């Protein structure tokens, strides 16, 4: 659902930019470091919008690449740890019976400490 809203917002932004560009068709003078030239404002607006979209899109691709690489590293580490844990003894989870036995042993030790003369 999030992707649909993002696509909808992008389409609305593109439509508003296109309408804004169509309204502004007068030629304007653009000053660059190496010279000046006249260009219709519609081309300047659409060109700058396209350049911004390319910059944001390339950053998104780069961020996605970094995340995928990190996921692969972590999956390899998990596989390595799982392989190492297969060689070690795994302690079973204590059951209620085991816990009761442990509590009885601890209670007996406390009672034996309390009953010793000092």
């Amino acid at each position: 659902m999030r992707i649909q809203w993002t696509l909808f917002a992008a389409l609305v932004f593109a439509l508003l930019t296109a309408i804004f560009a169509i309204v502004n068709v007068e030629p304007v003078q653009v000053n660059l470091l190496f010279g000046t030239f006249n260009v219709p404002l519609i081309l300047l607006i659409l060109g700058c919008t396209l350049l911004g979209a390319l910059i944001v899109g390339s950053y998104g691709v780069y961020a996605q690449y970094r995340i995928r690489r990190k996921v692969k590293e972590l999956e390899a580490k998990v596989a390595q740890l799982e392989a190492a844990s297969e060689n070690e003894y795994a302690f079973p989870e204590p059951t209620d019976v085991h816990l009761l036995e442990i509590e009885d042993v601890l209670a007996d030790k406390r009672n034996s400490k309390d009953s010793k003369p000092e």
Side-chain angles (χ1 to χ4, degrees):
M1 187 69 171
R2 181 174 179 238
I3 293 173
Q4 291 173 346
W5 282 109
T6 304
L7 181 61
F8 178 74
L11 289 174
V12 168
F13 178 73
L15 180 65
L16 290 175
T17 303
I19 292 171
F20 180 73
I22 290 170
V23 172
N24 295 293
V25 292
E26 303 87 24
V28 293
Q29 184 177 4
V30 178
N31 297 318
L32 299 174
L33 293 175
F34 52 83
T36 61
F37 59 95
N38 290 329
V39 64
L41 188 55
I42 186 171
L43 293 179
L44 187 64
I45 292 170
L46 293 176
C48 289
T49 303
L50 180 63
L51 182 64
L54 287 174
I55 290 170
V56 170
S58 64
Y59 177 74
V61 169
Y62 171 71
Q64 190 175 20
Y65 167 75
R66 281 185 30 211
I67 289 171
R68 285 186 182 172
R69 191 178 72 205
K70 185 69 173 178
V71 166
K72 285 183 182 179
E73 288 175 7
L74 293 174
E75 285 175 345
K77 189 171 185 175
V78 165
Q80 180 184 12
L81 290 173
E82 285 176 348
S85 69
E86 288 176 0
N87 298 332
E88 296 176 8
Y89 177 76
F91 291 100
E93 292 293 323
T95 61
D96 290 337
V97 174
H98 291 118
L99 294 175
L100 290 174
E101 290 175 357
I102 292 170
E103 288 175 1
D104 289 341
V105 170
L106 291 175
D108 290 341
K109 286 190 176 193
R110 280 191 218 114
N111 290 338
S112 65
K113 275 187 180 178
D114 292 340
S115 63
K116 285 185 182 178
E118 292 183 41

